[in-house]
Amino acid sequence: RPAVPPDRPSPVARLLEDLRALDRAYSPGHHGRWSARRRAGLTDTCVRALFEAAGAPSGVAVVALGGYGRGELAPASDIDLLLLHGGRESPALGDLAERMFYPLWDAGFDVGHAVRTVRQSVNLAGSRLDATTAVIDARLIAGDPGRFDRLREGVLDQVRRDPRAFAARLWAHCRERHARYGSASHLLEPDLKEGAGGLRDVHAVGWVAAALAAGRGVRGLEEEGWLRRSEREALEAAEEYLVRLRSALHLESGRRGDVVRLDDQPSLAEALGFGNEPGLAAVDGLMRATFEHARAVEHVTGSLFDRIAR
């Protein structure tokens, strides 16, 4: 991460230092889901401080979306933020956006940003699946909780009005993505996020849970009979492994990326604790584990969506 210039706003300076400390606290192969949640929590503290220091006008909320909203930040993930307001944009709102977003950009963070009303956000979710899933994963960071609640309720009402139709739309999108990125359980250079059996499929199970299990997550799907216990446990184990591998990829390569390139595999195998064994090289052990977890995700997601369709 970049060095902190002396004029860096203190919340961002603290965030940079805290993230560097987190990166150093564990070896690259041991940054699993706990580390991702910790990274998101540190970012929350910074964003909240920027929001408060900017003197936000009343009735505004700052909302975390996507992976940041889920509380899952890999070392090079985007910070996706939404400023939710009540009506016409004003100079005060524009000033708030600048005072929040620019310090993060200047520090080298990739910040996805939007400024919308509740109605605009709900309408967008009605026409775009990615906007729907971003709100399903959303969290309030600071500001008006009532406005955030109306956003969540508006989008979840759309999803739960016809949960099977939502699941069918989501599964169709998954299959299109699989065709584009291939299978993480077969490719020599698998995409850990977008490939079939990757983290995006794990997220899709969580999005379905928002519709079918009243937001109780994967365990809610098990309680409702949509998933078997063994499937839920396999999914959780796969997610932990894939998050660890993706985080190690970011830390080892120093860049954002989700494809496990051949050149990266020896260092990743070492980071995740794979060693050469009789008849099995460390890299082969790494990729065998990756393929096994990806196959488990493919099986669970395919079985789940098939049950819903039937």
Side-chain angles (χ1 to χ4, degrees):
R1 297 182 186 280
V4 182
D7 61 346
R8 179 77 68 217
S10 58
V12 179
R14 286 196 298 271
L15 177 60
L16 288 169
E17 291 295 340
D18 288 344
L19 290 176
R20 275 197 293 269
L22 177 62
D23 292 348
R24 293 193 300 265
Y26 304 93
S27 64
H30 289 81
H31 286 267
R33 286 179 294 177
W34 181 90
S35 179
R37 288 192 296 270
R38 176 62 176 157
R39 192 172 282 107
L42 294 171
T43 305
D44 287 353
T45 301
C46 175
V47 171
R48 193 174 296 117
L50 291 172
F51 181 81
E52 293 170 354
S58 62
V60 177
V62 59
V63 177
L65 300 174
Y68 178 33
R70 283 191 306 275
E72 297 175 4
L73 272 182
S77 290
D78 292 349
I79 300 172
D80 290 324
L81 293 169
L82 167 65
L83 281 181
L84 203 60
H85 63 98
R88 187 172 301 173
E89 295 188 27
S90 65
L93 190 62
D95 183 60
L96 171 64
E98 288 187 3
R99 295 180 69 181
M100 285 192 60
F101 299 145
Y102 276 93
L104 293 167
W105 285 326
D106 290 344
F109 293 100
D110 292 321
V111 182
H113 63 289
V115 181
R116 290 193 291 265
T117 66
V118 170
R119 176 176 292 182
Q120 289 170 338
S121 298
V122 172
N123 288 342
L124 184 65
S127 61
R128 283 176 43 183
L129 184 61
D130 63 333
T132 300
T133 57
V135 173
I136 289 174
D137 289 333
R139 285 184 302 116
L140 176 68
I141 303 300
D144 188 338
R147 200 168 301 284
F148 173 72
D149 290 343
R150 289 191 290 277
L151 168 65
R152 288 272 298 171
E153 290 166 5
V155 172
L156 289 175
D157 283 348
Q158 292 178 345
V159 167
R160 292 170 181 166
R161 196 174 301 137
D162 191 344
R164 290 176 187 270
F166 171 69
R169 183 183 176 200
L170 184 57
W171 185 232
H173 183 268
C174 287
R175 292 199 302 272
E176 292 173 3
R177 174 170 46 77
H178 298 166
R180 179 177 179 183
Y181 291 96
S183 173
S185 67
H186 292 85
L187 294 177
L188 294 178
E189 294 185 327
D191 190 310
L192 300 175
K193 184 177 179 182
E194 304 291 351
L199 285 166
R200 191 65 81 196
D201 284 354
V202 176
H203 304 156
V205 175
W207 298 329
V208 167
L212 291 174
R216 286 175 287 135
V218 178
R219 287 182 180 271
L221 290 174
E222 180 187 348
E223 292 164 3
E224 295 290 336
W226 295 106
L227 277 182
R228 300 182 179 94
R229 178 179 178 178
S230 60
E231 292 173 330
R232 189 258 303 166
E233 292 173 345
L235 196 70
E236 291 175 348
E239 182 181 15
E240 175 66 19
Y241 175 86
L242 292 170
V243 169
R244 284 178 56 206
L245 180 53
R246 183 178 182 231
S247 297
L249 177 60
H250 288 186
L251 291 169
E252 289 284 288
S253 66
R255 64 179 187 275
R256 183 175 65 180
D258 301 311
V259 177
V260 182
R261 306 290 184 191
L262 291 173
D263 290 345
D264 295 323
Q265 291 173 15
S267 63
L268 291 173
E270 181 178 358
L272 269 77
F274 290 93
N276 292 321
E277 300 177 8
L280 185 68
V283 166
D284 294 334
L286 170 78
M287 299 313 295
R288 174 182 289 183
T290 302
F291 294 159
E292 288 175 351
H293 283 298
R295 278 196 297 270
V297 174
E298 286 187 74
H299 169 73
V300 173
T301 53
S303 298
L304 171 63
F305 282 101
D306 182 60
R307 289 171 195 144
I308 296 170
R310 289 189 283 110

